[in-house]
Amino acid sequence: DAGVIQSPRHEVTEMGQEVTLRCKPISGHNSLFWYRQTMMRGLELLIYFNNNVPIDDSGMPEDRFSAKMPNASFSTLKIQPSEPRDSAVYFCASSTGTGYSYEQYFGPGTRLTVT
Amino acid sequence: AQKVTQAQTEISVVEKEDVTLDCVYETRDTTYYLFWYKQPPSGELVFLIRRNSFDEQNEISGRYSWNFQKSTSSFNFTITASQVVDSAVYFCALSEAYSGAGSYQLTFGKGTKLSVIP
């Protein structure tokens, strides 16, 4: 059974460019999460979808970040324009139920470097 | 606001030693969930255990055991007879509900890096 799939695994881009990260959750899971991991701030929840609807985006750092989930099997996290301080590993995770009490299954992450 | 503290930043042990990773949490909710995740050098996060606030029974899974104590707000993780493959960063996390909109907050600790030396 396939786990959470993320692409690309690595992304190097120049400041000012648009970056799109992609995620395919585990089939049957109805909650999806985007996280960012840095040495300084650790793991931060950016946004949480339930049944394709954004429930909580309070963790999204600023308007340069946006996330969509057009259907149950696909989500994107877009950064436009990107800045060096956006360099981090971005994880997508999915879970069953509302996500409150259920364990999350993480993808392998996308390592983003903005130069 | 909820908070998770993993005071041990890094721990090194020799293979076959037992090791305990500490986790202390803060929450105002009476209903909450605690989790442990493992992040091996390959980078992905792997779920290890979930525990709800109403179940204080300790849990054992092979060489892994967890001690949940509400009185001290702690959820500690012990690895018995550690192995090199246990080398990873271990994260404790706390999840609680807020508002009626189904939104919730999941807070991770900073993690403890465990190195098991052969």
Side-chain angles (χ1 to χ4, degrees):
Chain A
D1 190 20
V4 175
I5 299 171
Q6 290 186 248
S7 64
R9 294 293 307 276
H10 300 273
E11 178 79 34
V12 180
T13 190
E14 292 183 349
M15 183 174 65
Q17 296 297 306
E18 177 180 298
V19 175
T20 299
L21 311 182
R22 296 172 176 79
C23 174
K24 176 179 169 55
I26 292 173
S27 177
H29 283 190
N30 58 0
S31 290
L32 183 138
F33 310 82
W34 282 100
Y35 290 89
R36 179 172 67 176
Q37 185 178 35
T38 62
M39 288 295 293
M40 290 294 293
R41 301 173 68 91
L43 269 162
E44 303 174 278
L45 177 64
L46 300 178
I47 187 168
Y48 154 47
F49 291 87
N50 182 244
N51 291 325
N52 313 337
V53 176
I55 301 299
D56 186 355
D57 64 355
S58 59
M60 296 286 263
E62 49 197 275
D63 292 345
R64 296 184 299 107
F65 285 69
S66 63
K68 293 182 179 179
M69 192 165 185
N71 57 61
S73 58
F74 184 65
S75 177
T76 59
L77 178 67
K78 185 178 293 186
I79 308 173
Q80 165 64 17
S82 58
E83 296 182 3
R85 59 191 168 122
D86 301 330
S87 297
V89 179
Y90 290 82
F91 288 100
C92 175
S94 69
S95 73
T96 59
T98 62
Y100 160 57
S101 60
Y102 296 89
E103 61 270 23
Q104 296 177 22
Y105 294 87
F106 284 75
T110 296
R111 182 173 295 277
L112 173 65
T113 303
V114 183
T115 61
Chain B
Q2 60 185 40
K3 186 178 176 182
V4 177
T5 301
Q6 295 180 256
Q8 305 147 308
T9 305
E10 292 193 41
I11 301 176
S12 288
V13 298
V14 177
E15 201 171 20
K16 297 185 183 177
E17 286 184 349
D18 299 348
V19 59
T20 296
L21 309 182
D22 297 332
C23 173
V24 174
Y25 62 92
E26 294 177 28
T27 177
R28 294 185 209 173
D29 272 10
T30 55
T31 303
Y32 53 88
Y33 285 78
L34 294 161
F35 303 83
W36 276 94
Y37 287 87
K38 173 182 180 180
Q39 187 174 37
S42 52
E44 76 280 14
L45 282 120
V46 178
F47 165 76
L48 295 177
I49 190 172
R50 175 190 67 183
R51 179 52 49 111
N52 76 55
S53 54
F54 299 107
D55 182 2
E56 284 195 75
Q57 277 194 330
N58 292 334
E59 179 140 351
I60 298 174
S61 177
R63 297 184 297 106
Y64 295 172
S65 62
W66 291 269
N67 186 324
F68 176 32
Q69 292 196 342
K70 288 180 75 170
S71 60
T72 55
S73 297
S74 65
F75 186 42
N76 297 336
F77 173 29
T78 297
I79 301 175
T80 303
S82 59
Q83 299 177 2
V84 173
V85 293
D86 296 327
S87 297
V89 179
Y90 291 86
F91 292 93
C92 180
L94 167 67
S95 175
E96 59 184 27
Y98 64 83
S99 86
S103 59
Y104 81 110
Q105 200 169 26
L106 177 65
T107 301
F108 282 82
K110 295 293 187 187
T112 297
K113 183 177 180 180
L114 173 65
S115 298
V116 181
I117 304 164

